[in-house]
C-alpha cells in the first residue's frame, strides 16, 4: 500500500488537571464527520510520541483522526531538567492520558474514541477517569514490567539492567539519563521507582493508588492485545496479567510469531516501524474499524 503524503499534524498543549501542559500532535481531517473515529496513541515508557508518527499517518490515511502525545517529562511534554521533577506512572495515566481523553471528546464531539497503547501505554489506557468513553483498544506488548514475567532465557540480564542498574543510576543523577546512555529517553525518577519495584500488581507500585482507586473497570471497550513471541517483556503471562485488569471489557489476545509474517525477529519495539505497514498494521486497523480480527490474520488466539 502506498501511503499518501504525510499531513502536517497540528502541535498542541493540553493542560492536565494539575495544570501541567501535555504536548502532542493531532492529525485532523478537514471535514468533520461524527461517524469518524479518533484514535489516541499511548506511547511506551520513555518513548517519544514521534516514534508513532508513521503509524498515525497510516491510520489517518485509512479514515481516522489521530492524536499522539508525550507523557510529562518526555519529548513534547518536557520542561527543562528532570532532576527533582516529580512524575510517576499514575501521573502519566490518571492525569496525562485523562487530559487527552477529555481533549478528544472536546475537539471531536460525538466521534467514537479508540486507543492504541504500546507497552505501558496499554496500562495507561485503563487509568483515565473518562475510560467509559473508549470504544475500542489495541495494545501491543502491553504489560507493566514485572520481572518474573520476563522471558525466562534473558530474565536475569533484564532484571540487572532495568531493576538494578537503572534505579542505581537514577539515585545518583536524580533522574534516569536514558538518552545519554542509549536507553530510551531521559526518565523521571518516580517512573523508574514504579518500573523497578518487584511486584506483580500495578496497584502495589509506589504510585499505583496515589491518585485514587484504579479505574480499569470503567473501561468497557473491545480490547485486542497483540503480543509477539520474541518480545522478552510481552510474554503470555505478562500480557494476560494486564488484560485481567480490564474486567469489564471483552478481551482478545492475539499472539504472533515473527515467522508468521516472514520475519526472523520483531521484538518489543518494531511493530510501529513503517516496514510493517502491510503485515502488522492491518491487524490493528481491522480491529479499530470493525472490532474483530480479519480472516487470515497471522498468529493464534491465546
Amino acid at each position: 500500500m502506498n501511503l499518501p503524503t504525510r499531513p502536517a499534524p497540528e502541535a498542541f498543549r493540553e493542560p492536565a488537571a494539575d495544570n501541567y501542559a501535555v504536548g502532542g500532535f493531532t492529525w485532523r481531517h478537514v471535514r468533520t464527520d461524527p461517524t469518524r473515529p479518533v484514535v489516541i496513541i499511548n506511547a511506551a515508557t520513555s518513548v517519544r510520541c514521534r516514534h508513532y508518527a508513521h503509524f498515525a499517518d497510516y491510520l489517518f490515511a485509512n479514515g481516522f483522526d489521530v492524536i499522539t502525545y508525550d507523557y510529562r517529562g518526555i519529548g513534547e511534554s518536557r520542561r527543562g531538567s528532570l532532576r527533582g521533577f516529580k512524575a510517576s506512572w499514575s501521573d502519566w495515566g490518571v492525569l496525562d492520558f485523562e487530559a487527552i481523553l477529555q481533549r478528544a471528546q472536546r475537539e471531536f464531539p460525538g466521534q467514537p474514541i479508540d486507543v492504541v497503547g504500546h507497552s505501558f501505554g496499554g496500562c495507561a489506557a485503563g487509568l483515565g477517569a473518562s475510560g467509559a468513553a473508549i470504544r475500542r483498544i489495541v495494545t501491543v506488548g502491553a504489560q507493566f514490567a514485572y520481572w518474573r514475567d520476563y522471558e525466562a532465557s534473558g530474565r536475569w540480564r533484564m532484571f540487572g539492567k532495568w531493576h538494578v542498574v537503572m534505579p542505581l543510576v537514577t539515585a545518583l543523577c536524580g533522574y534516569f539519563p536514558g538518552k545519554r546512555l542509549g536507553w530510551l529517553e531521559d526518565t523521571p525518577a518516580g517512573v523508574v521507582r514504579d518500573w523497578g519495584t518487584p511486584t506483580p500488581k500495578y496497584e502495589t507500585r509506589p504510585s499505583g493508588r496515589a491518585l485514587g482507586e484504579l479505574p480499569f473497570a470503567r473501561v468497557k471497550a473491545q480490547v485486542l492485545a497483540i503480543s509477539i513471541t520474541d518480545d522478552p517483556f510481552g510474554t503470555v503471562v505478562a500480557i494476560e496479567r494486564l488484560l485481567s485488569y480490564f474486567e469489564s471489557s471483552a478481551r482478545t489476545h492475539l499472539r504472533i510469531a515473527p515467522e508468521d509474517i516472514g520475519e526472523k525477529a520483531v521484538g518489543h519495539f518494531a511493530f510501529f516501524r513503517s516496514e510493517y505497514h502491510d503485515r502488522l498494521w492491518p491487524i490493528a486497523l481491522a480491529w479499530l474499524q470493525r472490532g474483530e480480527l480479519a480472516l487470515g490474520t497471522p498468529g493464534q488466539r491465546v
Side-chain angles (χ1 to χ4, degrees):
M1 175 181 177
N2 294 320
L3 295 179
T5 302
R6 176 180 172 178
E10 308 165 8
F12 68 80
R13 292 280 184 271
E14 180 68 27
D18 63 348
N19 289 321
Y20 190 91
V22 177
F25 301 94
T26 302
W27 282 253
R28 186 194 308 267
H29 286 81
V30 175
R31 295 184 179 180
T32 60
D33 181 349
T35 67
R36 179 190 300 123
V38 54
V39 179
I40 299 169
I41 300 178
N42 286 352
T45 297
S46 300
V47 175
R48 296 188 67 161
C49 70
R50 291 175 182 267
H51 176 71
Y52 307 93
H54 291 300
F55 184 67
D57 289 342
Y58 173 81
L59 295 178
F60 181 86
N62 281 280
F64 293 83
D65 293 315
V66 187
I67 299 174
T68 66
Y69 71 102
D70 282 312
Y71 309 118
R72 62 187 61 203
I74 306 296
E76 307 303 314
S77 299
R78 181 168 177 170
R79 306 289 180 267
S81 173
L82 293 185
R83 190 182 302 274
F85 178 75
K86 297 188 182 303
S88 66
W89 270 350
S90 283
D91 293 336
W92 283 2
V94 177
L95 292 173
D96 299 346
F97 173 60
E98 172 62 17
I100 302 304
L101 260 180
Q102 292 187 21
R103 179 181 180 84
Q105 293 175 84
R106 185 182 70 249
E107 293 286 309
F108 302 93
Q111 294 180 218
I113 297 174
D114 298 333
V115 176
V116 173
H118 181 204
S119 197
F120 170 75
C123 184
L127 295 176
S130 302
I134 304 171
R135 180 187 66 158
R136 292 175 187 143
I137 297 174
V138 174
T139 67
V140 178
Q143 34 65 49
F144 41 82
Y146 174 46
W147 70 275
R148 289 186 183 274
D149 289 346
Y150 294 159
E151 198 275 323
S153 64
R155 183 175 298 149
W156 290 110
R157 176 184 55 80
M158 294 174 68
F159 181 86
K161 179 176 181 177
W162 301 110
H163 300 268
V164 177
V165 175
M166 190 179 189
L168 284 175
V169 172
T170 300
L172 289 171
C173 298
Y175 71 101
F176 182 67
K179 200 165 186 179
R180 193 185 322 163
L181 298 174
W183 294 15
L184 308 177
E185 293 291 313
D186 295 345
T187 306
V191 171
V192 174
R193 282 194 296 272
D194 282 337
W195 187 334
T197 301
T199 171
K201 296 182 178 181
Y202 171 79
E203 65 265 32
T204 57
R205 302 299 169 98
S207 71
R209 291 189 183 273
L211 294 167
E213 295 297 309
L214 295 177
F216 285 87
R218 299 174 188 170
V219 178
K220 297 178 174 61
Q222 295 171 290
V223 180
L224 171 64
I226 299 173
S227 65
I228 310 294
T229 58
D230 70 332
D231 177 356
F233 292 99
T235 60
V236 171
V237 65
I239 303 300
E240 292 290 320
R241 194 183 299 281
L242 177 58
L243 269 182
S244 70
Y245 280 65
F246 290 93
E247 58 187 34
S248 301
S249 297
R251 294 157 283 182
T252 300
H253 180 182
L254 178 69
R255 191 145 178 87
I256 303 171
E259 53 267 29
D260 293 336
I261 59 167
E263 289 286 344
K264 293 182 178 179
V266 176
H268 189 62
F269 293 101
F271 183 99
F272 295 97
R273 294 176 184 165
S274 57
E275 65 200 79
Y276 294 114
H277 76 265
D278 61 349
R279 288 176 288 169
L280 290 176
W281 294 2
I283 302 170
L285 178 65
W287 190 267
L288 295 172
Q289 289 176 329
R290 300 183 295 275
E292 61 185 16
L293 296 173
L295 291 175
T297 296
Q300 296 182 334
R301 291 183 185 232
V302 176

